[in-house]
Amino acid sequence: MKINGDRMLSDMKALREITDTPRSGVTRFSYSQKDQEARAYITRAAESAGFTVRTDAIGNMFIRFAEAALQAGEGTSAAVKNVYSETKRIVVGSHIDTVRNGGWLDGVYGVVAGLETMRTLSEDGTVTLPLELVNFAEEEGSNFGSTMTGSKFITGIYGEEELDKLRNDQGVSLRKMLQRCGFPEYKREEVVWDFEQVRAMLELHIEQGPVLERKGLSIGIVDVVYGMSVLEVTLKGVGNHAGATPMIDRRDALTAAAVCIGEAERIAKEDPERDNGSYSRQNQRFCLTVPT
Ligand SMILES: [Zn+2]
């Protein structure tokens, strides 16, 4: 079975045009006018394929095979009718919001790929997988300064409190913004997922690094995600007379910082897996020796 590559590409190109910064990457913050236009585009594409579209209180979008599409499959209609009720669903998708002047494929590729997969299966009449396409809202966090906002609500990490706490640059609360967009009122039980009902989540995403290209590979499967952490380190030295203090008695903070920086680089580069673009777990424990 083959997807319709031209159709998929034309969807992605159409979404690329929905931007606040034409000819300068794609800028489409969640809940903005352009975001609404992009949502409308996806909704139209999904509905014309015969799928149902639902949006939760946070603006996360969910697309499923509808009864009409399920019955299109010859001889399989009875089985596919119950495709969602008898098995755990398989979630596919990503996000369509972007950072300022972002790339046109980030997120969109995953959403459109999911849509194209569903269209292909539906047209082929083999709607036997309980697929659900999701577009996570405010994934980039460009609007409210908190990344993966939509999925944080889905997991229940965020709730009622964050609706008022999260504010954008103009001081507008997330709750107010969601109301403006016309999304349904927040009810925890309608937003938080029951993960017992989810078999898997698949996201097709462009590689944002050079490894696949260097290795000549067309696809890779992510088995580990960086747990990025940012540390602020203060190194305190001792000030003294430049001319009168012998080198051996100096406590120069900048020198110590230079050693720290060099060591961090060395430890990361010594990792046997560095060429794969991943670092082994043992290197999560940095051990720096700084001369005093
Ligand atoms: Zn992304």
Side-chain angles (χ1 to χ4, degrees), residues 94-95 106-107 139-140 203 205 208:
S94 192
H95 61 99
D106 185 346
E139 199 267 0
E140 297 286 11
E203 176 179 9
H205 203 284
Q208 290 162 313

